[in-house]
Structure formats: structure tokens, C-alpha cells
Amino acid sequence: MVEVKIAHPFALPRRRLLQAGAGVGLATLGLPAARAQEAKPRRGGTLRVAVADQSNTDTFDPTLARSGSDYLRAKATYNALTWLDADSNAIPDLAESFESDEKAMRWSFKLRKGARFHDGSPVRPADVVYSIMRHKTGPSLASSIVTNISSVTADGPDRVLFTLASPEVGFPLVMSEVHMSIVKEGTTDFSKPIGTGPFRIETFQPGLRTAGLRNPEYWDPERPYVDGFEIIPLPDMQARVNALLSGDVHLAVNLRGAGIDQVRESSVAGLLTTPTSGFASVHMRVDMKPSDSLDLRLALAHLMDRKRFAEVVLRGQAVLANDVPILPTSPLFNTELPQRALDLDKAKFHIRKSGIGSTPIEIYVTDAANGGIDIGQLLQREAARAGLNVALKRVPADGYWVNISGMHPFTNNQVTPRPSDDMNIALFWKSNAPFNKCKFRAEGFDALADEARGSTDPARRKELYFRMQKLIHDATPQVIPAMQSYVDGMANTVQGITPVPVGYLGGFNGMQNAWLSA
Amino acid sequence: MVRLVVTRLTGAVAVLLTVSLLVFASGEALPGDVAQLMLGEGASQEAVAQLRQQLQLDRPAPERYLGWLGGMVSGDWGVSYTTRRPISEILPPRLANTALLTVLTVLVAVPVALGLGILMALFAGGRFERSTSVVLLGLSAMPEFMLATLAVLIFAVKLRWLPAISNLSITDGPLEAARALTLPVLTLSLAIAAQIARMTRATLVNLADRPFIEMAHLKGASRLRVILVHSLANAIGPLANVVTLNIAFLISGVVVVETIFAVPGLAQLMINSVSTRDMPVIEACAMIFCCVYVLLLAAADLLGTAFNPRLRRSR
């Protein structure tokens, strides 16, 4: 491994994700001690991965990366300036070091010496500028992530300087995002991608197959350990499980329900569990009738059988949540708020107070959110016992996020994990956030968020985060029953992948660390 | 005969036109367009508008339809909205996979099914016929996804004889390809053979008390000869219909099998394209499916006519 040096002035918040208590500790990581301890990585072999999504829009263009398999492809081909360790700290990747001024307004990244693109050309600051500016100038799925960047410029032959609009301590975390992958200046055609990453792409057939070979010139002389990889889409979960158990693939991502049980009981494969701050929830528009009633929102929050959802639907691969978007094992999680649980008496009280009577409320549920339909059904069942009339409108996943989500008083929502809580707050919770679909607003919330993002003092950050969570908890714009883990199936022969809490297979980055034992 | 062919062809063109119009209209009716879906929920209105303009989606629907139709007639299938690749490049590999699966299934299933049907008719009422009937009824009632899953569980997961997936592009060499194709072909064959065998038996048995069959028996022809020569010739019309309908089903309706075994076929391409609202690809797939249906049905009719002297003379 390359010696990792973090050369920026503040200690970033360390998230001790893997020390989680209550059922989601190391025991469920699916990494038997013996397996985790095998010392010397072995070279060779082709790693085969079955992914869950299949689309003709599969892409290598980092600005358009949408699906998990796009992320996996991007991490195989490109590097971003930074990457994450298992505790969600930013560590150097294509930048060998980074630092900022005292206010966290200006950030300087020093490019890795000797890093080259697959065509042999060296990485220059202009490539970084081009890669980042593409999110500002062209169509990009990450345009909302770069809004805080006011300029990015070359600073000498091997440095890039970012100037921000407002202070951001966690900026290196933002730069670890898949969309921030570095491409060669001037690239517009991504069908034959050229990156700096661990693999060179040999075959790319959108929706069918992606295969790559080890990049022998990779700046890390150790990695990758495998000779090549192959990504095969298998949208049907049972097909993924079968392919894993029959030995046709080494890794099968996104397991649910019975698939988790099957792999857990298997003798040839085990589970790779990644606890994350991603979740499925019910959005409640605070500006629409009838969800504008705080009592009605609180009633639903107390009708949610969180435990049953986490244990039965998610097979225990989750951490109970408290309607706030922070992972309960994070030091920023507000432990002073009372944990909500199924409580029919409180629910009845709020139902009566809301004056909804027997008028049915409609919740739009969908498969597009993991467990979304189950959340609706659990709510409906308890609501009936408390005298609230809940009707479920089950809608297809197709087009859901553009056409249904947030367009009605009660709709399913799904949030995928992001590298920093600051990013989540800016994207989903501030009053001007692009995905604040509940139209949540609370006095002073935006100011707290801005200050927290620029605060270099951990104690102060914690205090600000506690206050933000209190505001969210009081207003309850979403019922968030549980923080969900990514659950992958991994053949016993696969070693070296450790969970990184932004995505499956080691934060989508596992292929360059994986090796196959004999 | 010539007039029949001409009428059929005119009809076919009319059907194709109608289908293309219906598919286009349903595509228009789907909520959300390709530009919006491509850029996601966070996209600005300007970006969506810009992409719409690039894809020429801002033109009125009739104009777009006619433009597409004109291109299609002159042999230009257009370019996929989402991948920007010409459709003439995207379709052939998918079509080849589907065709391979179909041809192999037909080669396996049709002879087996016809033979079985004939045997059942030959021994109608006997123990063999009754037990086979029950098995076939069970098989034709079982959905393919269940047959496929059972086959995978037994042959791939438990016995490990065959691969669980048939992603044809990863297999190398004919032996590997054969191994990869065994399970999907087996599943599809079971699904269609059961139907064809049952229909064959029913058709042949129905003919048994017709006067000309009685006549054949009276002339002293053997049971086997009566079935193979006298009955079968008269059953070809209905049988051709059943067989062709099943082949058409294989081309367009094997999504389940394509999904479970990850065979990159045409049906899967169409479903993917519907979810991304990629109209040119959807239309192209629909046209291919429709052509196959029309051609196969026409072939069935012509076969039926050719083997039926009464119909043949009346034209």
C-alpha cells in the first residue's frame, strides 16, 4: 500500500461506523476472522461481478453516472482527487496531498507524481479543471454538488486551486464523489474511456457487459491484484444469487429478503454488509393538505413499526433511525432526542388532534425505494388499529422519481448515502436544497447548516448538528424508519474488500482491492 | 394463390403502419420524456430544454412521427436518443441472440412435441396417453420463470453441471456456448413443447371420427398409416398455426427467460428502452416483433391453404 499522508490542517470527523452496537456490529459484516486475516494478497484471476441495474444508458461519462454499475465502472477506470477510508475520512487518491486556508475557503490539491492516463499522457491541472468544469457547463447529474465551487484553476505544474463560495471543511470529501472523477482534458466521447484508474477498459457494451484488464502502469504498483474484471447485469435478484452460488460470479450486489438468507446459509459465499446513512422513507409535504398538519405527520411517525421493518423486511441489515438523516453510530447523531417507536396511544392522540377523522390519506409507495411498499403496508396496518384511514397507491418504479416523488402529500423517498453529512444537508434539507421535496423549512436551520459546513471545531460542529436534528425531529417532514446497509453476496474466495459507507462493494471501489484466494 | 399473397402483403403493411402509430402514441402518453429521465430529478429546466432541442423533441409529435416513418421506409432506422448510437448498430447483436435462442428451441421442441402428440393420438385412451397428458398439462400450466428457476436450482446451484447465466458474450468457444444455452433452451422448449404436443394430439384425435378416416380404416390401412398419412395431412393447417404462434412468442415474449439467464436479447432491449423512453429503439423493436408475427401468420395461412385442396381450388 502507498503511504497515506493527510496534509490538511483539521482532523475531519471520524465516523466509527463499524463499532455500531445492537446487531449491526462486526458480526454481520460477513467477514469471518480467518478470512479477513489472510495476509499476502495473491495476484491473478478475473473478478466477475453481477450488478442489479441494466440500462442502455450505462455510461463512462462521470457527469452522467447514475446507477450503481456506472459508479462501479467509473471507480475501475478513473480516480478522483480523493478517496475515503472505512471511517469516511478523505484520503489522497489522484491528489497526493491537499490543504486549505484557515477559513476552509480555498483548497489546494497537489497532483500525484507519475500518475498517467491509460494512453500514457501525464495528469495535468488542466485535466482536473476540465473535469470539474464539465459539471458547470454541460448537462450533469452532479451540478447541485458543485454549486459551492466558485472557481477552479491551475496553480503551477502540479497543483489545482479551488475557491469556494462559502467555507466547507468537508470539501475533500466532496472531491471523493464518483462524479468528480478526473478525465482527460477535451474528452467528449466516453465509449472508449481513458482514465488514470486501476483498470483499462477492453469491452463496453451498455446494458450487457463491461470488461477491463489490469492497468500495469497504475500509480499504485501493488494494485489491482486481479488480472481483470467483468461486470454483468442481472436485474433479477434470484438470478444474481443463483449465479453467485453456482460459482459463475464472485460478487452479487444488492441482495434483499430471501436472497440474504440464502447467501447467509450458503457454504460457498457470505455477506458483505456496508452500514450507510442511506434510507427509504415517507416524504410529507409540509405545504400541502393534509400533510401540512404536524399532528398528522407525528401520528405517522408513531405508527411506524421501525423494529419490524428493520428486522423482518431488511433482515436486520439496518440501524433503527429516528426521523433524522444522521446515522445513529455517527458522533454527530443527536442522542438527546427521544427515540420514536410504535406507540398507538401517542398516535391516537395526534390523530384526534389533527381532526382528520375518517378521511383517508393516500401514500404513494413504490419498489423504486428499497422497502418502500413495506413501509406503506406497515403504516397502513398500524393506522387501522389507531383509527386512521391510510390508502396505499402502489405505483411502478419506472419514472417514479421524476413524476411522482414529492408531487403528492405523502410519497416514498429514497436517499442514497453520500460521503459527508454536510453534503446531505445541502442537497436535501436546507430551504433552497434541490431535493428538499417536503419543502421543509425551520427558523435558523439554514444558518446552522452553513456554519456547520464551515466550522473547524469538532465540538461546535457537533452542537450545530444536534440543533439541526432537533429542528428536523420537531417538524418531522419525513418518516425515516431505518438506515439501510448495502448487502452484497461475496464468494468465499474473494478477499481484500472492506466496506466503505458510500456504496456497495467497498464504496464501489472494491475491485481494485480485491484478490482471489486459491 | 398470387391474389392471396398480394392481399396478405397489403394487409401486413397496413398492420405494420397501425402498430407503429399505436406504439408512437403510447410512447407519447407515458409520463416524463427522455430528456427529463436522462438528466434526473435535479436537472434545471434549461438543461432539460437544451437536451430536448438537441434531440429535436421540441418538434410537434406528428412531425416527429412522419420523420421517423420516412427514415424507416428509406432504410434509415435512426439513432438511439440515449446512447446516440445508430439503431442499425444496436439491434443486430441483440436480434442474433434472440434468433439463436429461438432457432435452437424450435429445433428441439417442435420435433419432440409433434412426435409426442402423434404418439398420444396413436395410443389415445391408453395409460401412456393419459399419464403424458397430465404431465404436459402440468408443464403448460407452469410459468416459465418457475421452470427456469427450478432448472437453475437443480442443474447450476446443486449439481453445478451447467452455468446459471447465459451471458453469451462472456462465453468462448462452441462448447461453452452450448453449455450456456442448455438451460434457457430447455426451459423454453418445455414451455412451448407442452402446448404444441397437446394441440397435435387434440387435432388428430378430433379427426378420428371423420368419414374419410373411417374410410381409410375400412380400406384396411394400419393405425400408424392412418394417423401419419390421412390425419396429419389434414391437421397441417391448425398445427402450422400453433407452431408459428409459439415461434412468434419466442421472439417477442422470452423476457422472463432472458432476464433470469441474462441473455442479452431483443425483448430485454425493448423493456430497457421503454423505461428510458428511447422512442427510436422502441419503434424499431416493435417493428421487428410485428414483422415476425405478420410473416409467421402469413406463412401458417399459406401452409394451411397449400395442404388443403378445398381452399386451394376455391381461389
Side-chain angles (χ1 to χ4, degrees), chain A residues 388-424:
Chain A
L388 176 68
N389 192 351
V390 168
L392 297 184
K393 273 200 97 139
R394 193 174 170 156
V395 287
D398 177 31
Y400 177 82
W401 302 112
V402 171
N403 302 314
I404 309 272
S405 166
M407 306 285 182
H408 304 273
F410 301 94
T411 53
N412 264 160
N413 179 30
Q414 167 105 52
V415 169
T416 48
R418 299 224 163 31
S420 90
D421 290 317
D422 293 334
M423 248 170 115
N424 268 325

Side-chain angles (χ1 to χ4, degrees), chain B residues 133-146:
Chain B
S133 266
V134 171
V135 173
L136 289 182
L137 195 63
L139 279 177
S140 56
M142 222 191 279
E144 300 109 79
F145 70 83
M146 193 168 159

Side-chain angles (χ1 to χ4, degrees), chain A residues 119-163:
Chain A
D119 64 357
S121 56
V123 181
R124 300 157 310 139
D127 299 313
V128 177
V129 173
Y130 177 76
S131 304
I132 302 301
M133 285 312 288
R134 289 183 71 229
H135 296 287
K136 296 249 180 205
T137 52
S140 163
L141 292 171
S143 49
S144 47
I145 296 175
V146 295
T147 44
N148 198 28
I149 301 175
S150 31
S151 79
V152 44
T153 48
D155 179 17
D158 61 353
R159 277 187 173 275
V160 184
L161 187 67
F162 288 80
T163 310

Side-chain angles (χ1 to χ4, degrees), chain B residues 51-74:
Chain B
L51 185 61
R52 270 195 196 127
Q53 203 182 0
Q54 273 177 29
L55 297 172
Q56 306 195 326
L57 287 173
D58 48 348
R59 291 187 306 160
E63 201 183 314
R64 271 180 288 136
Y65 174 72
L66 288 177
W68 169 82
L69 191 65
M72 193 74 150
V73 171
S74 60

Side-chain angles (χ1 to χ4, degrees), chain A residues 55-57 206-208, chain B residues 19-20 23-24 27 30 34 38 55 57 64 68-69 72 76-95 264-290:
Chain A
S55 176
N56 315 326
T57 56
L208 297 184
Chain B
V19 167
S20 74
V23 170
F24 188 84
L30 284 174
V34 62
M38 266 174 88
L55 297 172
L57 287 173
R64 271 180 288 136
W68 169 82
L69 191 65
M72 193 74 150
D76 172 14
W77 291 51
V79 173
S80 154
Y81 283 160
T82 52
T83 62
R84 313 280 170 94
R85 283 169 62 211
I87 291 183
S88 51
E89 239 176 58
I90 301 174
L91 282 188
R94 301 292 197 118
L95 187 59
L266 208 53
Q268 227 178 42
L269 176 71
M270 180 154 177
I271 289 187
N272 274 334
S273 307
V274 170
S275 62
T276 51
R277 312 282 187 270
D278 196 343
M279 241 10 241
V281 182
I282 302 174
E283 282 279 15
C285 293
M287 286 300 94
I288 291 181
F289 293 154
C290 190

Side-chain angles (χ1 to χ4, degrees), chain A residues 280-282 309 365-367 369-377 412 484:
Chain A
S281 67
V282 179
F309 179 66
V365 293
T366 177
D367 272 332
N370 182 16
I373 293 171
D374 304 279
I375 292 177
Q377 285 171 340
N412 264 160
Q484 305 182 354

